[in-house]
Every structure is written in C-alpha cells, then in structure tokens.
C-alpha cells in the first residue's frame, strides 16, 4: 500500500508541476474507493494538496508570478468556504450519505470540466490548459477575456482593487470566487485549482501566469487551513499523506522541468481525457460500492490511477523525446 501511495504521489506531482493543476483531485476518490471514511479521504487529500502546493509555489515565486494582494483577499473568502464545506461533510457523514454525495459531486464536476477541456484542446486554440510560453509575455500585453471585461464593467461595488497586469476589479468578485472554490475544497478535499484558476482568468481577468502562481499560493493556505480543521477531527492520516508527499516532491520537479522543453498543446487533450476517465471511474466505483460488487470497485480504482499514469507518462515520454531531438540537432551543429 505504501508503494502504491508513493507511486501515485509521483504521478500526481508530475501533473501538478506541469499543468499548475492536476491529479490532486483524483486522490480523494481513490481513497474513497480504497475503503477509507469520507472525512479521512477528504482530510488526507487536503493535507497532500497542501504539501504539493508548497513545493510548486516556490518555483512560481521565483518567476514573479504570484499576486500576493489577490492571494490575501482570496484566502479570506476561501477560509469561510472551507469551513462550510467541512461542516457539510461531517453532517452528511452523520447521516451516512457523505461517501455517495461526494462521489456524485466528483462525477459531475470532473465530467463537466473534462468535457470542456477536451473540447477546447481539440479546437487547437490554446484552451484547456496552461500555456507555458505565457511566462515570456509582458503582463500588460495579455488580453482580458470578454466575460471578465463584462464582469468588471458590471460589478463596480467598492472597494475596487488593482491587481498585477493593470487589472481593476471589485473585491467582492474576488471574494465570491474564493468562497465558491473554498466550498469545493472543504467538501471534496481538493486544492480547487482546476476550478479556481479558470475562474481567476475568466471571472476576474487575471493574466494566465499570475493566475497559475497565485492559485498555487492560495492553495498553500486553503490546504493548510483545511488540513488543520480536518486534523482536529482525526481526518488526516499521516500514513497516507507522507508517502504521497514523498512521491510528489520528486514528481513536481520532473513536471516543472518538463515545462521548459515540452509544448503542452499536444498533452492537453490527454489531460481532458484524464478528467473524463476520472469521472467514469468514480461512477463505476460508486455503483460497485452500492451493489456490493468488489470487482466494479477495483475497476474504478484502476481507471482512476491508470488515467493519471497515462497522462504523466505522456509528459515524461514527450520530454525525453524533445531532449533527444534537441541533442541530435546540436551534435551536427557542433561538428
């Protein structure tokens, strides 16, 4: 079991380091399918997210991609959302409904976002993931999405806040985004990055690299707060978290290094497919649990882990292939 957790942590770390968001949202459903209580699955998932985010945030801090003003406002809204989500989990657990409700929420969320990401990736217009070349562009040159412009022009409730990239938006918009994603974090045991980062881009209008860096910075606090709150109720199992973090520490470095040599456009469709596979896997596992069918539960668990492994493998393979191609080009030039 420890070897499984270390390996899964490695895979999740690669995804997290490469996409700025990734397989951390697969940890909680995997733990649920392994038979852990909902509070332990969610709490341990949050503790893992906290540790992984610390590693990734340090890199983005060095690149100057963290807006601490935006992060501070979001932390306040997120904290309230996490507490509401945590209270909901324990309430549903007392009713014996927590595992089922959380699994259904995962199916809907992963399926919907996976379909959107896959559609955008197949369009080939740069949607569905993080554009790593964005870091080389001046923040003032980013074009604010039309949805964000509409929100900025419509919601003018004071106080107004100026963010990096000359973005001016109402603090209440930021707080609403933070509360919503905090609620998801506390209820599902995720960092919320796969919801929060698109929300910062399309609802607040934050430039992509700043959204990635600030999202990770915010996850450090939301994951830390959530871990503490769940830990008080015995919801954090260090025997799960420690091996996951051990694997992800190496994986995050591999994923971050891959961003320098891999064009992420070819990987985005795999990322969307991973989300869809995750939704199907959680659905199968929940049906198996409801019917008492151990085979279906095993199939669901294999699909969850397999989907993450395939995408992480594609990243590593593409990285190695790119490095070899670069080396072959340099060798004739040196001759």
């Amino acid at each position: 079991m420890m070897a499984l957790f270390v390996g899964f942590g490695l895979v999740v770390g690669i995804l997290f380091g490469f996409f700025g968001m990734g397989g951390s949202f697969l940890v909680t459903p995997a733990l649920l399918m392994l038979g852990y209580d909902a509070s332990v699955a969610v709490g341990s998932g949050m503790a893992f997210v906290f540790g992984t985010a610390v590693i990734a945030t340090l890199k983005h801090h060095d690149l100057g991609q963290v807006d601490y003003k935006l992060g501070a406002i979001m932390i306040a809204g997120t904290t309230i959302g996490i507490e509401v989500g945590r209270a909901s989990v324990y309430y549903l657990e007392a009713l014996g409904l927590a595992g089922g409700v959380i699994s259904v929420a995962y199916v809907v969320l992963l399926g919907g976002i996976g379909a959107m990401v896959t559609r955008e990736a197949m369009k080939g217009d740069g949607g569905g993931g993080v554009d790593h070349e964005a870091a080389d562009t001046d923040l003032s040159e980013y074009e604010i999405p039309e949805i964000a412009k509409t929100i900025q022009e419509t919601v003018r409730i004071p106080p107004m806040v100026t963010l990096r990239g000359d973005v001016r938006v109402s603090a209440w918009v930021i707080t609403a985004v933070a509360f919503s994603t905090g609620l998801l974090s506390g209820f599902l045991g995720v960092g919320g990055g796969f919801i929060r980062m698109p929300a910062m881009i399309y609802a607040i209008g934050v430039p992509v690299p700043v959204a990635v860096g600030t999202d990770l910075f915010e996850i450090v606090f939301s994951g830390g707060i959530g871990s503490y709150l769940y830990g008080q109720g015995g919801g954090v199992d260090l025997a799960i978290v420690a091996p996951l973090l051990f694997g992800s520490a190496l994986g995050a470095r591999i994923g971050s290094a891959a961003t320098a040599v891999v064009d992420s456009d070819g990987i985005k469709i795999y990322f969307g497919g991973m989300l869809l596979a995750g939704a199907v896997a959680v659905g199968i596992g929940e049906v198996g649990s409801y019917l008492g069918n151990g085979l279906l539960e095993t199939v669901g668990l294999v699909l969850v882990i397999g989907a993450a492994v395939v995408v992480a493998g594609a990243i590593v393979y593409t990285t190695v292939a790119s490095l070899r191609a670069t080396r072959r080009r340099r060798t004739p030039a040196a001759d």
Side-chain angles (χ1 to χ4, degrees), residues 113-154:
I113 297 174
M116 180 185 71
V117 169
T118 304
R119 183 188 64 192
E120 294 297 324
M122 293 182 70
K123 285 181 181 178
D125 59 358
V130 178
D131 179 8
H132 296 299
E133 295 179 358
D136 299 327
T137 306
D138 188 88
L139 294 180
S140 61
E141 296 179 10
Y142 283 91
E143 184 174 350
I144 298 176
E146 290 300 322
I147 300 176
K149 287 181 180 178
T150 301
I151 293 175
Q152 290 175 10
E153 293 170 358
T154 304

Side-chain angles (χ1 to χ4, degrees), residues 19-40:
F19 289 107
M21 53 183 178
S24 56
F25 49 78
L26 298 177
V27 172
T28 299
L31 293 177
L32 286 172
M33 282 185 277
L34 283 171
Y36 289 95
D37 292 338
S39 58
V40 173

